[in-house]
Amino acid sequence: MRHARRRVVRRVTRLTAVGGLLLGGAMVTQAAMASDTPARDAATLSAPQTPADKGSALVAKLGSARTAGSWVDSGGRTVVAVTDKATAAEVTKAGAEAKVVPYSMNQLKSAATTLSSAPKIAGTAWAMDYRNNKVLVEGDSSVSATSWAAMTKVAKSIGASVEMQRTQGKFTTRINGAQPILSTGGRCSAGYNVTNGQTDFILTAGHCGPVGSIWFADNQGDQQLGKTVSDNFPGSDFSLVQYASGSAGEGADVVAIGNGSGVTITGLADAAVGEKVFRSGSTSGLHDGEVTALDATVNYPEGTVTGLVQTTVCAEPGDSGGPLFSNGIALGVTSGGSGDCTAGGTTFFQPLTKALAALNVKLLVAPKTAASPAPSASAAGSAAAGTGSVTPGTSAPATNTTAGTTTLASRLTDPKNVGPGLLVIAGSLIALVATRWIRAEQDRKAFQRHYSAMWG
C-alpha cells in the first residue's frame, strides 16, 4: 500500500513538472512575441503648419534686430512685430500681418538682461509682452513698498521698453498629468510620459522633489510609481520620475482631464502668444486660457526660474507638473503662479521642448491614425467656452497611474517579461531531477535491503 502511494505521488509530481515546463515555454514565447511589437511613437517638431509656427518661422528668417516676436490674434491670423516698413512689406508678402513697433527683440532682451542682473526680489516676475512691445514687470502682494520702489528705479533706468504692474495674490510653486503623484515632500501632478528608448519616465515639475524622491499613486504608500532620477530647479522647472516597472504601460499617450476622460497627445510644439491653451491638474482638473507672454522670469521664494510661458490659465496647489496642451499638442508642464480657479490668476509653464532637449528624452505620443472626436463641453469640465475651433484634443479614456506601479503579481503577469517563464522552466526541471533522484535513491535502498536479506 505504501509503495502504491509513493508511485502516485511520484507520478503527480512528474506530471506537474511537465506541465510547468510547457507553461514556462509558453510564457517565454509570449514574451518574445511581445518584444517584437512596434515601438510607441515619439514626438518630434514638424515643419511650420499652424499660424504660430508661421510666425516663428518668419521671425527666425528676418532676425531679432528687425522683429520683436509674433502672436496669433483673436481671428487666428499670424501677426509679426517689426521695426521698419521694409520688413513689414516682407511679412505682408509672406501672408502674415505686420505691426510696426519701436523696440526690436534685441532691445527687449537687453532690458530683460538688465532686470536679471539687479538684486532678485521674491514675488516679482517679468516676461516678453510681444503684443504691447514691452517687458512687463509684475510684483505680487508679498513685495514690500521699498522693494517695489527699488525695482521701479531699475526699470526707469532702462527706459520706456519696461512697464511695471502690481498683481494680486502671490507667485508660488504649485506643489500639492494630470493624475496625482504623492511623496513625503507633497503632492504634484504627472505631466507627460517620455522615454529614452529603453526606460519610460514621468516628466513633471522640478520643484516637486529632488533626485531620490520616491513617488506613490496612493496616500497609503502601497503603490510605488517610481523615483526621481533627474531634476532641474531653480533655473528651470522640470524633473524625471523613472517608473519602478520601467514601463508607462497602456495609455502612455493620454493625459487625464477628469471624470475618467482623457485627451490623446499627438505631437509637440512651442507655445505662441495669443494661443488658446488648456491645462489639466490633479487638484483643479481642466481649465483653459491664453498665452500672454514668453521667456518669463519668475522669482519664487525657492529661487528664480527663467524661460517660462506666461498664461491666463488658473492653477492651484497640487497642479504642479500637470500638462499644458492645445488640440492634442503638448506644450509644457505647470510651474507656478498666483491666484486660484475661483478668482482666476496667472500661471507659468516650463516649455516642454526645452525640458526634453535638456533631459535627452522623447515624448510618447499616439500613433498617427484617424482622429477620434474631440471631448465635448461636458468632458472638458470647467474649461471656459468661447475658444472657437480650439479644443483640448481628441478624446480617450484616462487610465490610472497605478499602471506604472510594480508588484510581484504585475511582474509575473507581464507578457513582456521573460524572467517569470524562465523561472517556471527552471523550477520544473529541478522538480523532475529531484523526483528522478528520489526514485533512484529509493530503488537503491530497496535493493540493499533485498541483498542483505538474501545473504544475511
Side-chain angles (χ1 to χ4, degrees):
M1 187 69 177
R2 183 183 301 171
H3 295 302
R5 285 199 300 269
R6 287 175 178 172
R7 284 196 298 272
V8 170
V9 171
R10 287 198 298 266
R11 187 172 300 167
V12 170
T13 303
R14 284 197 299 273
L15 290 174
T16 302
V18 170
L21 286 172
L22 294 174
L23 175 61
M27 291 172 70
V28 171
T29 301
Q30 183 182 16
M33 292 175 65
S35 65
D36 290 335
T37 57
R40 290 164 295 189
D41 289 356
T44 55
L45 288 171
S46 58
Q49 293 179 337
T50 67
D53 292 330
K54 186 175 183 179
S56 298
L58 281 171
V59 167
K61 178 183 177 181
L62 297 171
S64 56
R66 295 195 291 162
T67 63
S70 64
W71 61 92
V72 180
D73 68 12
S74 58
R77 295 181 298 271
T78 301
V79 183
V80 179
V82 298
T83 57
D84 57 78
K85 292 182 179 180
T87 306
E90 292 185 55
V91 169
T92 302
K93 185 178 179 180
E97 184 176 331
K99 179 181 179 180
V100 180
V101 296
Y103 305 108
S104 70
M105 179 58 72
N106 288 346
Q107 291 172 300
L108 294 180
K109 286 185 175 180
S110 177
T113 299
T114 302
L115 290 168
S116 297
S117 63
K120 300 293 186 297
I121 299 174
T124 60
W126 53 85
M128 301 289 186
D129 184 353
Y130 294 165
R131 286 178 290 196
N132 293 313
N133 195 227
K134 303 273 188 179
V135 177
L136 178 63
V137 179
E138 295 182 286
D140 69 19
S141 59
S142 70
V143 180
S144 67
T146 302
S147 295
W148 187 244
M151 180 68 78
T152 302
K153 184 177 180 180
V154 174
K156 285 183 177 180
S157 71
I158 298 171
S161 62
V162 178
E163 181 179 335
M164 303 289 287
Q165 177 177 295
R166 279 285 199 171
T167 185
Q168 297 297 316
K170 295 181 180 180
F171 293 134
T172 60
T173 53
R174 297 307 198 181
I175 284 187
N176 256 5
Q179 298 279 30
I181 54 176
L182 305 102
S183 75
T184 56
R187 172 174 151 228
C188 276
S189 299
Y192 296 97
N193 287 307
V194 300
T195 184
N196 62 7
Q198 298 178 329
T199 303
D200 294 346
F201 307 85
I202 298 170
L203 194 153
T204 188
H207 69 261
C208 287
V211 169
S213 299
I214 305 297
W215 293 94
F216 300 90
D218 65 320
N219 290 317
Q220 291 74 36
D222 295 329
Q223 301 170 354
Q224 182 178 331
L225 278 172
K227 180 172 68 174
T228 301
V229 294
S230 179
D231 73 285
N232 192 320
F233 178 83
S236 296
D237 197 358
F238 54 80
S239 65
L240 279 183
V241 176
Q242 182 173 347
Y243 277 107
S245 64
S247 173
E250 296 297 325
D253 52 11
V254 174
V255 295
I257 61 172
N259 300 320
S261 298
V263 168
T264 300
I265 298 301
T266 59
L268 169 69
D270 287 315
V273 173
E275 184 176 9
K276 298 291 184 180
V277 291
F278 297 82
R279 175 206 57 78
S280 186
S282 61
T283 297
S284 59
L286 183 69
H287 289 269
D288 68 355
E290 182 180 301
V291 176
T292 56
L294 300 178
D295 200 19
T297 295
V298 185
N299 295 303
Y300 294 124
E302 302 92 333
T304 300
V305 179
T306 63
L308 299 177
V309 177
Q310 182 173 323
T311 74
T312 60
V313 188
C314 70
E316 297 183 357
D319 289 330
S320 278
L324 177 74
F325 50 93
S326 182
N327 284 328
I329 302 299
L331 302 172
V333 293
T334 306
S335 173
S338 63
D340 55 38
C341 290
T342 300
T346 298
T347 303
F348 300 94
F349 296 85
Q350 165 68 51
L352 190 58
T353 54
K354 294 180 181 178
L356 294 176
L359 295 167
N360 196 28
V361 293
K362 292 185 177 181
L363 178 70
L364 291 175
V365 297
K368 294 176 176 60
T369 58
S372 57
S376 64
S378 59
S382 57
T387 55
S389 61
V390 180
T391 67
T394 58
S395 107
T399 56
N400 196 298
T401 51
T402 55
T405 59
T406 176
T407 62
L408 179 60
S410 65
R411 289 197 295 268
L412 290 176
T413 56
D414 187 353
K416 291 180 282 187
N417 196 345
V418 178
L422 295 177
L423 286 174
V424 172
I425 292 174
S428 301
L429 287 173
I430 292 172
L432 281 175
V433 171
T435 303
R436 184 68 179 173
W437 181 84
I438 292 172
R439 180 178 179 182
E441 187 66 16
Q442 289 174 341
D443 290 344
R444 185 180 66 81
K445 289 181 179 180
F447 177 76
Q448 286 178 338
R449 288 194 298 270
H450 178 70
Y451 186 86
S452 298
M454 287 181 61
W455 295 94

